[in-house]
Amino acid sequence: MDDDCLFCSVNHESDEALEWYDRPIVREPGVGVAITALGSFVPGYLLVAPAWHLSSVQGLPMSVVSGFIDFLTQVVDHVEAAFGPCTVFEHGSCRSSERRRSACLTHAHAHVIPGRYSLGSLRLPVRVFDDFAAFAALPVQDRLDGYLMYREPDGPVCYAEDLGVSQYFRRHIAATLGAADDWDYAVFPHWDNMRLSIRELMSTPTRIGI
């Protein structure tokens, strides 16, 4: 646990100790949390983070990765039940802190965002996996030092080298939505969409973690 890390705090603090927008939509103790995304382009946009302070989903120990992948998959199902098909992506942090990376936080987190955004049109040189479990199980010697991962609705998991462009996928999605500047979540938090996410998803029954 890192005392200065947002996702460590969300995993371990009580809801009362957190800002309203950081309180988990879904929490499975010892596995992970899902919170509404600051910078929600659309309602239903969540960030899903493991309980462990590691730099990427692919960096999780094999002893815990399957549990987190199951949790992520259930969160996606929960969001899709309310908002329709989702795109999932991750800016996987570099193992070297000296390298520029797309991720802004060093605690692993996957983005779950309703909609289709033609990420394949970016023409990244990708390696393709059938599902998240196969992506997470890639042998250490074959992994990239920092990566971009995405899965479009009904598509495979695609995996490419991190290009070192901050918030790479968010920039593309913002442009696709006709609001190119909105990629910067600190400047454009989209509070109304976050509130809609909380209202809808917290009122929808879920059996995650049961």
XYZ file of all heavy atoms in Angstrom, residues 18 33 48-49 83 119 129 171 190 205 209:
89
model
N -13.694 9.214 2.045
C -13.390 9.519 0.645
C -14.310 10.605 0.115
O -15.434 10.792 0.593
C -13.557 8.262 -0.216
C -12.671 7.063 0.150
C -13.164 5.817 -0.580
C -11.205 7.349 -0.202
N -11.525 -2.572 -6.661
C -12.614 -1.604 -6.583
C -12.906 -1.039 -7.962
O -12.042 -1.046 -8.851
C -12.277 -0.430 -5.633
C -12.195 -0.883 -4.193
C -10.990 0.274 -6.072
N -11.305 0.613 -12.877
C -11.300 -0.626 -12.092
C -9.863 -0.917 -11.687
O -8.995 -1.131 -12.541
C -11.884 -1.800 -12.900
C -12.005 -3.037 -12.020
C -13.242 -1.421 -13.492
N -9.608 -0.914 -10.381
C -8.238 -1.040 -9.867
C -8.113 -2.224 -8.921
O -8.999 -2.461 -8.099
C -7.825 0.232 -9.137
N -25.658 0.452 -19.461
C -25.295 1.445 -20.468
C -24.952 0.884 -21.845
O -24.628 1.643 -22.745
C -24.105 2.275 -19.969
C -24.423 3.139 -18.784
C -24.063 2.758 -17.503
C -25.109 4.336 -18.943
C -24.353 3.552 -16.401
C -25.407 5.149 -17.848
C -25.036 4.756 -16.580
N -10.788 2.118 -31.791
C -9.383 2.134 -31.397
C -8.510 1.388 -32.403
O -7.322 1.671 -32.537
C -9.212 1.539 -29.996
C -9.919 2.297 -28.856
C -9.618 1.637 -27.520
C -9.510 3.758 -28.832
N -5.043 -11.282 -28.151
C -5.363 -12.355 -27.215
C -6.878 -12.580 -27.223
O -7.651 -11.645 -27.459
C -4.918 -11.995 -25.801
C -3.443 -11.777 -25.667
C -2.889 -10.512 -25.852
C -2.587 -12.830 -25.372
C -1.526 -10.303 -25.740
C -1.217 -12.632 -25.251
C -0.682 -11.366 -25.448
N -7.159 10.651 -25.370
C -7.056 11.674 -26.421
C -7.849 11.256 -27.661
O -8.572 12.064 -28.263
C -5.591 11.910 -26.787
C -4.768 12.617 -25.711
C -3.308 12.687 -26.117
N -2.466 13.228 -25.070
C -2.124 14.523 -24.957
N -2.564 15.398 -25.848
N -1.354 14.933 -23.969
N -16.315 16.482 -16.014
C -17.653 16.001 -16.386
C -18.407 15.471 -15.160
O -18.841 14.320 -15.101
C -17.561 14.923 -17.469
C -17.079 15.433 -18.791
N -17.841 16.275 -19.588
C -15.912 15.245 -19.443
C -17.165 16.577 -20.694
N -15.982 15.968 -20.620
N -28.888 -3.775 -9.118
C -28.372 -4.896 -8.308
C -27.161 -5.552 -8.972
O -27.094 -5.680 -10.193
C -29.558 -5.865 -8.258
C -30.750 -5.035 -8.527
C -30.291 -3.962 -9.487
N -18.657 -10.360 -6.297
C -18.024 -10.671 -5.027
C -18.866 -11.549 -4.112
O -18.440 -11.890 -3.016
